[in-house]
């Protein structure tokens, strides 16, 4: 049996594994028995991203560090009957689960004839504090202790998409063109050329650069989605109860320890009762120091 004081450790960082060493999943909730506070059930997050939680009994489980080892494989746990978490298990629901795991009903072994009808509650609900009186005359004072853990839930989703925007780009391009110029050369003496008086014409082809624009789609970057863990501090405020002890000296003379006369006129101030009362008063005073 796993000790009840390990509930906080199991809830905060625990995982469940089979006896063969295979990991079944992360711990979701831990359930305790309302009657005596011992651990009874643990829920395991299974499926994609831990979307489902399956109940596993802790009757035959062991704890090593924060790992809970159970005598069942992952498929057995994953296919267990599903019930709502963060709520008490009814007797019928618990019997259904025990029957599925083949270990009897309502927390008993298969050979036990009695039935435990106590509902089980998630471990974040602390049992009622009880005041007990020991046989040696002392009162045991109890108090509630607050155990806070965390569990991972879906907080939102992000989607990566792309869209097209249009912008203007200006690029300066050098362009050239040809222009006609007159080139005059004197005819040298002795250079025999035909000298004809009349009209004549020649042509020269002129060229120029024209700007040509072309567009091409190219891959420039790869983008994907990633996650990072950001840790922040949150304060949890909860009301807890604790018992106090006070001295009740009604009907007792605290200076002598003798019982005083009651309203009915009787005086029980005999030596034996007085000694007993004085002893109780002295013990109570010592306890309050």
């Amino acid at each position: 049996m796993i000790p009840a004081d390990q509930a906080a450790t199991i809830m905060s960082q625990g995982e469940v594994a089979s006896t063969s060493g295979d990991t079944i999943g992360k711990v979701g909730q831990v359930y305790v028995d309302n009657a005596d506070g011992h651990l009874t059930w643990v829920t395991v997050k299974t499926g994609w991203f831990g979307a489902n939680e399956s109940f596993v009994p802790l009757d035959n489980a062991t704890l090593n560090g924060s790992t809970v080892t159970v005598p069942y494989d992952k498929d057995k746990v994953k296919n267990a009957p599903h019930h709502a978490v963060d709520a008490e298990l009814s007797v019928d629901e618990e019997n259904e689960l025990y029957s599925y795991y083949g270990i009897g009903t309502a927390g008993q072994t298969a050979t036990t004839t009695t039935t435990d009808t106590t509902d089980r509650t998630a471990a974040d609900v602390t049992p009622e504090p009880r005041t007990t009186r020991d046989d040696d005359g002392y009162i045991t004072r109890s108090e509630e202790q607050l155990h806070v853990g965390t569990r991972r839930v879906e907080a939102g989703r992000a989607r990566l998409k792309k869209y097209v925007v249009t912008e203007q780009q200006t690029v300066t391009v050098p362009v050239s063109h040809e222009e006609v110029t007159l080139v005059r050369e004197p005819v040298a003496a002795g250079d025999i050329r035909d000298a004809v008086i009349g009209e004549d014409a020649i042509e020269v082809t002129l060229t120029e650069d024209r700007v040509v624009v072309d567009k091409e789609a190219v891959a420039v970057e790869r983008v994907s989605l990633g996650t990072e863990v950001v840790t922040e501090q949150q304060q949890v405020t909860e009301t807890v109860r604790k018992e106090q002890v006070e001295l009740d000296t009604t009907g007792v003379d605290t200076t002598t320890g003798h019982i005083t006369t009651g309203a009915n006129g009787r005086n029980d101030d005999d030596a034996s009762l007085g000694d007993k009362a004085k002893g109780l008063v002295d013990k109570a005073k010592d306890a309050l120091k």
Side-chain angles (χ1 to χ4, degrees), residues 11-54:
M11 288 185 63
S12 62
Q13 56 188 9
E15 63 179 12
V16 179
S18 65
T19 51
S20 61
D22 296 330
T23 299
I24 299 176
K26 295 291 186 179
V27 171
Q29 297 287 337
V30 178
Y31 281 64
V32 301
D33 191 301
N34 283 341
D36 57 17
H38 77 273
L39 305 186
T40 57
W41 295 92
V42 64
T43 64
V44 188
K45 298 180 179 180
T46 59
W48 290 103
F49 306 107
N52 300 321
E53 292 192 29
S54 302

Side-chain angles (χ1 to χ4, degrees), residues 259-268:
I259 300 176
T260 60
T261 303
N264 57 4
R266 293 182 56 191
N267 189 344
D268 297 325

Side-chain angles (χ1 to χ4, degrees), residues 213-273:
V213 178
D214 188 19
K215 290 183 287 186
E216 177 188 6
V218 296
V220 295
E221 188 178 23
R222 297 179 64 192
V223 182
S224 64
L225 285 177
T227 62
E228 62 178 354
V229 177
V230 179
T231 303
E232 60 182 9
Q233 301 295 326
Q234 289 188 358
Q235 292 185 341
V236 178
T237 302
E238 186 58 58
T239 301
V240 295
R241 296 174 295 168
K242 63 180 179 180
E243 299 170 336
Q244 300 289 350
V245 178
E246 65 178 8
L247 178 62
D248 184 2
T249 58
T250 304
V252 178
D253 187 344
T254 57
T255 59
T256 63
H258 297 295
I259 300 176
T260 60
T261 303
N264 57 4
R266 293 182 56 191
N267 189 344
D268 297 325
D269 187 10
D270 59 271
S272 60
L273 289 178

Side-chain angles (χ1 to χ4, degrees), residues 27-185:
V27 171
Q29 297 287 337
V30 178
Y31 281 64
V32 301
D33 191 301
N34 283 341
D36 57 17
H38 77 273
L39 305 186
T40 57
W41 295 92
V42 64
T43 64
V44 188
K45 298 180 179 180
T46 59
W48 290 103
F49 306 107
N52 300 321
E53 292 192 29
S54 302
F55 282 83
V56 184
L58 295 177
D59 297 58
N60 301 315
T62 59
L63 181 65
N64 183 12
S66 60
T67 300
V68 180
T69 302
V70 295
Y72 314 106
D73 58 24
K74 186 171 185 178
D75 289 338
K76 182 71 173 178
V77 174
K78 186 176 180 180
N79 296 324
H82 285 270
H83 299 289
V85 297
D86 297 332
E88 290 189 356
L89 278 176
S90 68
V91 175
D92 291 339
E93 291 173 337
E94 193 172 27
N95 284 339
E96 181 185 15
L97 287 166
Y98 273 119
S99 176
Y100 172 78
Y101 285 104
I103 54 176
T105 59
Q108 305 297 326
T109 60
T111 58
T112 303
T113 57
T114 59
T115 301
D116 179 7
T117 59
T118 305
D119 287 346
R120 267 55 171 179
T121 308
D124 55 354
V125 178
T126 308
E128 293 286 336
R130 302 184 300 275
T131 302
T132 59
R133 181 170 181 174
D134 299 334
D135 294 336
D136 58 359
Y138 286 90
I139 289 179
T140 299
R141 186 180 65 84
S142 302
E143 66 182 20
E144 294 178 330
Q145 294 183 348
L146 189 62
H147 300 285
V148 180
T150 61
R151 65 187 181 98
R152 191 165 296 277
V153 298
E154 182 177 311
R157 296 192 178 190
R159 181 175 61 179
L160 183 65
K161 66 177 183 178
K162 66 178 183 178
Y163 57 95
V164 178
V165 296
T166 302
E167 63 180 10
Q168 298 292 329
Q169 290 188 355
T170 301
V171 179
T172 302
V173 180
V175 293
S176 302
H177 67 276
E178 294 178 336
E179 295 181 353
V180 176
T181 60
L182 291 178
V183 179
R184 299 176 182 271
E185 295 180 359

